Amino acid sequence: MSDEERKGIIEVCCEKRFRDLTPGQIVAALLEEGRYLGSERTFYRVLKQAGVLKHRSNSRVPRKQVRPPARVATGPNQVYSWDISYLRTDVKGVFLYLYMIMDVWSRRIVGWEIHDVEDSSLARSLFLRLKERFDLQGVFVHSDNGAPMKASTMLMTFYALGVIPSFSRPRVSDDNPYSESLFKTIKYSPGYPRYFKDISHAREWMAGFVDWYNEEHRHSGIGYVTPNQRHDGTDKALFEKRNRTLLAAFEKHPERWSAPVKQWTHQPVVYLNPTSDQREQTKRSA
């Protein structure tokens, strides 16, 4: 690449609208605008050479853990993941609790509430309200082994709603990866308050986050489209547009490709805690 092209990549990455996005998210957005400056790998290489590629969090390297039986989703509203996470407040030792339900297939947040206690009766009320918007009959709902999740109140509610409960294995910390990943996205997102003033502050901030996450966040696990785009099926048209932009760029400078042009594809199946065979099948179809 020329020095001018490298400079163009750096300038784009430093634009206000892109400053909190990863190179993969930036490349996807540019393709939808009909622009191709380079591949995701090229962006990382140029930024690293310029000394502006930095790890922006103190997150830990993931550890491999034993997985429970796999759940398979081929469309929305088939497999949900839910969990409860604490939120810090300005008062030392006082916490709020975020109850959150997501659709594993689309990564869409389908239900959430914040309370000042962790209680199975509150979780029960959340699922009853969710039933008013979605048909939960036959939906797998996965969670860890926390007390609210396995309380008789919750199990009886799931039975009445036709929900099939699914649980992580005891003493395995990351058997509920989609919810854990979502909570990490929340707490490492730009603008996340380390401490909330009160429950009203927490609910107001979370409402804005959920709107942004579902409507605007380009999720790496679903091809850098938003959860709502994945949920309603409009991701397929976006992938086609990206592919047309890539093909045009290839035809203009074929000498810059050392491998076939990457094709963006719709992922038809999502596994929760896949087996080795299912994981390999996902890689082959990607």
Side-chain angles (χ1 to χ4, degrees), residues 8-25:
I9 288 177
I10 295 171
E11 288 177 348
V12 165
C13 290
C14 293
E15 289 181 10
K16 184 176 181 180
R17 62 179 179 141
F18 289 143
R19 64 186 180 188
D20 292 318
L21 301 185
T22 66
Q25 293 172 318

Side-chain angles (χ1 to χ4, degrees), residues 137-153:
Q137 184 71 36
V139 176
F140 283 97
V141 176
H142 187 81
S143 68
D144 61 24
N145 285 273
M149 290 73 174
K150 303 199 77 171
S152 58
T153 301

Side-chain angles (χ1 to χ4, degrees), residues 126-253:
L126 174 58
F127 276 96
L128 290 176
R129 282 188 284 275
L130 189 65
K131 174 66 175 177
E132 298 174 0
R133 296 192 293 125
F134 301 105
D135 180 10
L136 301 182
Q137 184 71 36
V139 176
F140 283 97
V141 176
H142 187 81
S143 68
D144 61 24
N145 285 273
M149 290 73 174
K150 303 199 77 171
S152 58
T153 301
M154 285 304 305
L155 297 180
M156 291 300 295
T157 300
F158 284 161
Y159 177 79
L161 296 177
V163 166
I164 305 171
S166 173
F167 298 102
S168 303
R169 293 183 180 181
R171 296 177 298 279
V172 177
S173 61
D174 63 347
D175 270 357
N176 197 12
Y178 292 101
S179 285
E180 294 296 334
S181 178
L182 175 56
F183 286 143
K184 180 178 178 181
T185 299
I186 293 172
K187 295 181 180 181
Y188 283 86
S189 65
Y192 176 76
R194 291 186 61 190
Y195 304 96
F196 290 98
K197 298 176 182 178
D198 51 36
I199 196 168
S200 296
H201 177 210
R203 288 170 175 170
E204 180 181 1
W205 187 90
M206 198 60 61
F209 172 86
V210 171
D211 287 342
W212 169 83
Y213 179 87
N214 284 341
E215 295 283 354
E216 301 180 36
H217 175 55
R218 292 176 178 271
H219 199 297
S220 61
I222 51 177
Y224 295 113
V225 296
T226 70
N228 277 356
Q229 289 169 339
R230 165 80 169 174
H231 204 85
D232 61 24
T234 57
D235 60 326
K236 297 178 182 178
L238 293 175
F239 292 150
E240 291 175 0
K241 187 171 184 179
R242 294 178 191 176
N243 290 334
R244 289 195 299 269
T245 303
L246 278 172
L247 181 59
F250 172 77
E251 292 175 345
K252 186 176 181 180
H253 290 290

Side-chain angles (χ1 to χ4, degrees), residues 1 37 41 54-55 66 71 86 94 104 108 118 124 126 153 156 160 170 176-177 182 187 228:
M1 300 186 74
L37 302 182
R41 186 173 181 179
K54 303 293 183 181
H55 187 64
V66 178
R71 304 300 180 191
Y86 70 88
V94 176
V104 167
R108 181 184 184 186
E118 186 178 20
R124 175 181 181 273
L126 174 58
T153 301
M156 291 300 295
N176 197 12
L182 175 56
K187 295 181 180 181
N228 277 356

